Amino acid sequence: MRKMKQWLMIAAVVALCGMMTGCKSHVQRHVNGTMEEKVTPGEPPQAIVDLMKHVNIDDRYETLMEDYRTGVSVIVWSLLKCSDEVSSEGYGIVVGIGDEKTALPEIRHGSMPQAFYDATTTELWIVGSDMVGTGVEAERLYYLLHDGYHASIWDSIGPYEMQQALCEALTYSIDGQEITFYAEGEKLIKVTNTIEDMGGFMDDAIYIGDIITYEIDGVEGEPRVYVTPGVNFVVGKELHYNDMPTISAAVEVSGHPCHHRPPILSDFRVEE
């Protein structure tokens, strides 16, 4: 009888441990951010500032966008080079409203800029790059308005600010090799890790921040941000993106230069 009780106690403890382990594997944890502090586009080189004091659109510029729907042309150009010998280093945007042109040398457009004009609201969106490199593409979203003649930057969202907003909204849980992602507590998708030779997941397994991009052309309502999480394994110090989904969300900015607030995210989706 005593042995039977001992076996029952052991079985109960084993079952309880199993329940605790199972619960632990399903605990939702917030994704982590790779950026530890704010990043900025930096200051444009003096050569760009000097050149753009007097704007002359020629073959040194590339047309990003043209819109004539309101009867007043809205055109955006990016500066490709100061001269054949001097690079633009990815800086310099010009916004043309009718016959007037506004030079914005401080915008770092990078190698793949975007521009989109909403004729109904006179909002102008520009996407530039704060960080670009191997496995890194962290973009900045600019929100501009115009008075019918000149354009001005009313707000911008840097990669760090967007990373922090996403880290607040996105969580995940791990059960064996299955990773489930949630947005504001609602399940988005479950994926299965297929990498077998990296020693298992780290305690802080999921990170975002290296890949944050935007879509502004043709979207309905607010722009959309796109983020691809990376997996952190015990072996190695780099993130892996195999099997990871791309998650998007609608972005609402503050819309006022004196009342900047974190971006508001909504309508989370998993992209195909």
Side-chain angles (χ1 to χ4, degrees):
M1 182 64 69
R2 179 178 296 177
K3 288 185 177 180
M4 178 63 72
K5 289 183 178 179
Q6 289 176 341
W7 279 111
L8 289 173
M9 290 178 63
I10 292 172
V13 170
V14 170
L16 180 59
C17 289
M19 291 174 61
M20 292 175 65
T21 302
C23 291
K24 183 177 181 181
S25 66
H26 289 85
V27 170
Q28 291 187 35
R29 305 180 67 174
H30 283 276
V31 300
N32 308 279
T34 60
M35 289 175 279
E36 297 180 356
E37 59 185 8
K38 291 184 179 181
V39 296
T40 69
E43 295 295 327
Q46 191 60 44
I48 282 81
V49 175
D50 293 340
L51 173 70
M52 299 187 74
K53 287 179 180 178
H54 305 284
V55 176
N56 179 29
I57 301 299
D58 51 27
D59 62 0
R60 293 172 296 184
Y61 291 87
E62 176 185 29
T63 302
L64 293 183
M65 186 214 73
E66 296 178 276
D67 193 298
Y68 302 94
R69 287 174 294 173
T70 60
V72 177
S73 64
V74 178
I75 308 176
V76 179
W77 297 272
S78 61
L79 180 65
L80 299 178
K81 59 184 179 180
C82 294
S83 66
D84 290 338
E85 295 76 29
V86 181
S87 168
S88 72
E89 300 184 34
Y91 286 91
I93 287 287
V94 174
V95 178
I97 310 293
D99 295 329
E100 300 294 328
K101 295 180 178 64
T102 302
L104 300 166
E106 66 272 29
I107 293 183
R108 188 180 184 187
H109 52 74
S111 60
M112 300 196 55
Q114 303 176 58
F116 178 73
Y117 179 64
D118 189 333
T120 60
T121 62
T122 70
E123 296 174 324
L124 176 61
W125 301 95
I126 293 176
V127 175
S129 295
D130 275 15
M131 298 190 305
V132 178
T134 303
V136 176
E137 187 177 5
E139 295 183 333
R140 177 179 291 266
L141 179 66
Y142 294 89
Y143 173 67
L144 291 80
L145 290 177
H146 70 83
D147 59 6
Y149 301 95
H150 300 97
S152 58
I153 300 172
W154 276 59
D155 202 355
S156 74
I157 302 174
Y160 178 81
E161 291 86 349
M162 180 53 68
Q163 171 191 273
Q164 296 306 98
L166 288 165
C167 284
E168 181 68 25
L170 296 178
T171 54
Y172 69 97
S173 64
I174 294 179
D175 183 11
Q177 296 301 315
E178 293 185 333
I179 305 172
T180 304
F181 289 93
Y182 308 83
E184 298 177 336
E186 297 294 324
K187 179 181 176 181
L188 285 175
I189 190 173
K190 179 187 290 185
V191 298
T192 302
N193 170 58
T194 59
I195 298 177
E196 299 178 349
D197 56 353
M198 300 301 293
F201 303 117
M202 290 286 287
D203 287 340
D204 292 326
I206 305 298
Y207 279 79
I208 64 169
D210 286 352
I211 304 177
I212 297 177
T213 61
Y214 293 89
E215 179 184 322
I216 55 175
D217 188 6
V219 298
E220 297 182 3
E222 292 84 9
R224 295 195 71 83
V225 61
Y226 292 73
V227 60
T228 303
V231 183
N232 191 19
F233 292 96
V234 173
V235 177
K237 293 184 178 180
E238 64 178 298
L239 297 177
H240 294 259
Y241 296 92
N242 304 53
D243 314 306
M244 289 297 100
T246 295
I247 299 169
S248 74
V251 182
E252 179 185 336
V253 301
S254 63
H256 198 288
C258 298
H259 300 92
H260 181 77
R261 56 164 168 71
I264 296 176
L265 306 179
S266 61
D267 189 24
F268 284 87
R269 305 174 189 169
V270 175
E271 301 298 321
E272 297 297 333

